[in-house]
Amino acid sequence: MSANSPQSDSALLKGREQQTFSQYMRSWILRVRSGDLGQLPVILGLIVIWIVFQIANPIFLSSFNLVNLLVQASVIITIAYGVVVILLLGEIDLSMGYTAGMSAVIIAVLLRAPLEIPGITPEGGLTIAWYVAIAAGLAVAVLIGVIQGFFVTFFRLPSFIVTLAGQLALSGLVLMTVKGLGTLSMRDPVIRGSVNTFLSPERGVVFAIVTTLAFLGIQIIGYRSRVKAGLNTAPPAVIAIQTMAVGFVVSGLVWVANLSRGVPVSFVLLLIMLVVLTYLTTGTRFGRYLFAVGGNKEAARRAGIRVERIRLYGFMLGSLMAGIGGVFLVARLGSVATDTGSGPMLLNSIAAAVIGGTSLFGGSGKMSSALLGGLVIASVDSGLGLAGLPSDAKFILTAGILLLAVIVDSFARRSAARSGR
C-alpha cells in the first residue's frame, strides 16, 4: 500500500480529528492517574494553606494582607521565573540570589549621586537617569549569565560547581562595591513606584477585562496553530471553561484588592513577564529546544540542535530574570547593603519553582509554576508571621512543603514511566 493510498489518507485524517469534551476529560483523568498531575497539587496545596491560615487568623485573607502578599512575592517570583528556565535545561544556578543583589547594588550606586570621572564627566558630575541605571544593572546580570554559561558549556563543567563559585565571587563583589559606603539609599520615585504603586479601581477593572481577553486570545491562537499542524488540542468547550475560570479568579482578585489599595503594579508586571516567558518557552523554536535539551541532551544533539548554544542562552535568560528581581529588590527595600542578595531569597526562589511543579530532572515544567509556587512561599511566610512564629518555624515548614513537592514529582515520574508516558 502506497503512502498516498486512500486508506492511509483516511487514517491520517482520522488522526487529525479533534477530541470532543467527553474524550478530553477521559484523557485528562487518564493522564492524572498515570502520574501527569501538572499543577493540580500546588493549586490544591495553596487552597489548603489559605484555609488553614484563615482559620488560624481571620486577618490572613483580608484585602490589606493579600495585597501585601502580592507585593512581597514579586522578588521571589521574578527570580523563580529564571530558576524555571535553568531547571528546564536540567541544570541549577546557585548564584541567582547574588546576581539579583549585584544588579540592585549597581542601580543604587549609579543613582546615589552625580557620577564624577575626572576628564570625562562634566563639572559637577553626571546625573544618571533611572532607565540607564536599570539597563546597566540588567546588563551586568546578563554578563554574569554569559560567563557562567560559557564555563558550563565550553569546559563541560557541572553547573552546580560553576554557579557555586559564581555565588562566592559575586558575594565578594557586592561586599567590595558597598564596603565603606555603608547602607546605600535608593529613592528614585520611578523605581520605588514599581512596587509601591497600585491601580485605581477603574484601572483594576480594565486590567481584569484585558487579562481575561488576553488569556482567551492566547488560547485561540494556540488552538488554531495546533489544529493547523494536525495536533490534538483542548476542545472549544474546555477553552471556554478555562477562560471563565481565569476571568472569575482575576475579577475576584481585583475586587479584593480594590477593597484595600488596589492591584499592585508589580503584580501586573509579573503577569506581563509570565505571558512573554510562556510564549518564549512554548511558542518559539528556542523554547522547544529548551525542553528537548533538558529532556534528553544527547537525543537533542543527534537531532541537530546546537545544545551548547541553547544552554548558554538559557543561563543568560535565567540571569536576566534574576537581574529584574534585583530591580524589584532595591525598589522594595529602598537601599542596599553588604549582604544584599544573601539570605533565603535564592532557596525560596528554587523552592517556588519546584513546589509549582517544575521538575528537578529537566525537560518538564511551566513558567506559571513559578507564580503559583511563589504564592505558596509568600503565603506560608505571611501566615506564620501573623501567627507570631519566628523565622526558624518558617524555614522548617517551607522545607517540609519543598520536600513534599519533590516526593510528588518523583512519584509522578515513576508512575508515568510505568504507564509508558
Side-chain angles (χ1 to χ4, degrees), residues 169-192:
L170 288 171
S171 65
L173 285 173
V174 169
L175 182 61
M176 185 187 303
T177 307
V178 183
K179 187 178 181 182
L181 299 176
T183 300
L184 282 178
S185 297
M186 197 292 299
R187 304 198 180 282
D188 184 89
V190 177
I191 297 179
R192 292 300 305 274

Side-chain angles (χ1 to χ4, degrees), residues 292-309:
V293 171
N296 191 323
K297 188 164 59 178
E298 190 54 37
R301 194 189 312 276
R302 292 183 179 182
I305 298 174
R306 295 185 174 182
V307 172
E308 307 308 337
R309 178 179 294 185

Side-chain angles (χ1 to χ4, degrees), residues 280-303:
L280 190 63
T281 53
T282 61
T284 66
R285 182 178 297 178
F286 166 73
R288 291 191 289 275
Y289 288 175
L290 202 65
F291 280 90
V293 171
N296 191 323
K297 188 164 59 178
E298 190 54 37
R301 194 189 312 276
R302 292 183 179 182

Side-chain angles (χ1 to χ4, degrees), residues 93-99 102 144 148 159-175 340-343 345-347 350:
D93 187 345
L94 299 178
S95 68
M96 282 189 161
Y98 275 106
T99 300
M102 195 68 213
I144 292 169
Q148 295 189 142
S159 57
F160 180 89
I161 300 301
V162 171
T163 57
L164 179 60
Q167 182 193 62
L168 294 172
L170 288 171
S171 65
L173 285 173
V174 169
L175 182 61
T340 299
S342 62
M345 186 169 61
L346 169 66
L347 298 180
I350 295 175

